[in-house]
Amino acid sequence: MEWIVVGGVIVGLIIFASRSRSRAASGSDSATPLETETWRERGRGTYVTGQGILGELTVEAIATCEPDKAGEVRRAWLEDAIKRARKTSQTASALSAEATTSNGRHASGMMASAMLELAEAAAAMLDEPGLAGAEQRLTNARTSTRASLTAMRAVT
């Protein structure tokens, strides 16, 4: 009789240990539903901000920045968009660190890199108009940002 009880306890411990390991490996069960929903809400907000910045930092908007008074206003507006892109990159990076799924980590990490690349490309084109390859660099950065936003939207 004692062997049956001991055997049952051992089997129970083995099952418990295997479930605990699978939860720890997946990471998806470690977050509460509230934490997951909060992450998704922050992710959606970051996505919306990223979409707005992507719309602002275009090759045409930067290329038409003239040295007159109107150009100064446009330049200030573009510099603000570049600052917001850098800040959004930091936010996406923080989301990546807090993500409870590999898809969330990947999408937010991808967005962090893409937003930083967008900010740097736009700043380079704004600071040195006519720089060889600057337009193509910005176009490429916009493409990778668009792809990262698509991935972010899918996980939020």
Side-chain angles (χ1 to χ4, degrees):
M1 178 80 168
E2 294 174 8
W3 290 105
I4 294 174
V5 172
V6 171
V9 169
I10 291 173
V11 169
L13 287 173
I14 291 171
I15 291 172
F16 176 77
S18 66
R19 285 185 183 171
S20 296
R21 267 186 263 151
S22 67
R23 285 183 186 152
S26 70
S28 59
D29 291 342
S30 62
T32 66
L34 180 60
E35 290 171 330
T36 302
E37 188 58 33
T38 301
W39 186 91
R40 284 191 174 135
E41 287 173 10
R42 289 180 53 220
R44 284 184 204 114
T46 304
Y47 165 80
V48 169
T49 302
Q51 282 285 53
I53 292 168
L54 182 64
E56 293 176 50
L57 295 177
T58 64
V59 171
E60 297 79 23
I62 295 172
T64 58
C65 196
E66 300 294 327
D68 59 0
K69 185 68 173 168
E72 290 177 23
V73 171
R74 180 180 287 265
R75 182 178 183 82
W77 173 66
L78 290 168
E79 287 172 346
D80 181 59
I82 291 167
K83 285 179 188 172
R84 286 185 287 119
R86 288 182 177 129
K87 177 66 176 160
T88 302
S89 173
Q90 292 172 349
T91 303
S93 183
L95 281 170
S96 180
E98 297 169 12
T100 58
T101 66
S102 60
N103 287 342
R105 282 187 295 278
H106 176 71
S108 50
M110 186 175 158
M111 184 176 173
S113 297
M115 290 303 292
L116 187 58
E117 179 185 355
L118 179 65
E120 297 304 318
M125 189 173 169
L126 188 61
D127 291 341
E128 296 185 43
L131 182 65
E135 286 186 20
Q136 186 60 46
R137 182 177 172 205
L138 182 59
T139 301
N140 293 345
R142 287 178 49 77
T143 301
S144 65
T145 300
R146 194 174 292 111
S148 74
L149 288 169
T150 301
M152 193 67 179
R153 183 174 181 212
V155 297
T156 59

